[in-house]
Amino acid sequence: MTVVAPVDFELDPTASGLELLRRWARKADTVGGFPQRLSARPVEFEDGLVRIVCDLDPGHANFIGLVHGGVLASLVDVAGGSAVMTILEPGQSLLTTDLSMRFLNAAPIDCARLETVGRIVFRDARKAVVEATVSTADGLVIAQGTVGVAIRAGR
């Protein structure tokens, strides 16, 4: 069983979302909490776009040896929030408001890694919509989803 540390990530209100994303990418294995348990980390990002990888282990499996649907939904959610992070100004935060999923193919737990690409398809000052695709390393599309994200003003 993987031991997960408590969350150890400073949300600096003077940093942009892109700066926070860069910090997460540099210390992905030590941030603690759910991101560490999920074993997901950003590996590529730019304005409105992110690529997340997830290294699979037996803890990601359902009872029949496939990647659990909750893992796939989590990856879509993480990609949605991370894509929106790329556009946040210092002091702003985000919150997922809705998530829809399409499970297209099964992913055996032994495929070792999943990649999720999230791309902003709509945005205004208060919200964004991200489309995300989860694939195996060899390009088989496993799931697609859409994430609604609220952009919250700094406090």
Side-chain angles (χ1 to χ4, degrees):
M1 174 189 261
T2 303
V3 177
V4 176
V7 174
D8 182 25
F9 189 83
E10 183 182 347
L11 289 175
D12 178 356
T14 65
S16 71
L18 195 54
E19 291 171 285
L20 293 172
L21 199 56
R22 284 186 189 113
R23 188 178 308 150
W24 176 26
R26 282 193 308 269
K27 61 183 283 183
D29 59 339
T30 62
V31 296
F34 189 68
Q36 182 183 355
R37 173 58 205 108
L38 188 59
S39 297
R41 66 190 181 285
V43 295
E44 181 182 338
F45 39 89
E46 59 188 60
D47 187 42
L49 177 76
V50 68
R51 186 167 61 95
I52 303 287
V53 297
C54 175
D55 295 317
L56 298 172
D57 64 47
H60 292 100
N62 61 19
F63 291 131
I64 58 173
L66 301 172
V67 176
H68 192 283
V71 171
L72 302 172
S74 293
L75 289 172
V76 167
D77 184 40
V78 168
S82 297
V84 175
M85 279 182 76
T86 68
I87 64 168
L88 293 183
E89 297 173 10
Q92 289 183 319
S93 61
L94 59 85
L95 183 67
T96 298
T97 58
D98 61 89
L99 179 121
S100 64
M101 292 288 304
R102 284 170 220 85
F103 299 99
L104 303 172
N105 285 296
I109 196 65
D110 62 1
C111 72
R113 174 178 277 184
L114 294 175
E115 297 184 2
T116 307
V117 174
R119 178 176 285 108
I120 295 176
V121 295
F122 171 86
R123 71 195 243 196
D124 64 20
R126 299 180 342 158
K127 61 191 164 299
V129 176
V130 177
E131 290 182 352
T133 302
V134 182
S135 304
T136 61
D138 61 358
L140 177 65
V141 175
I142 302 301
Q144 292 180 323
T146 304
V147 185
V149 181
I151 300 172
R152 303 171 70 190
R155 296 180 191 210

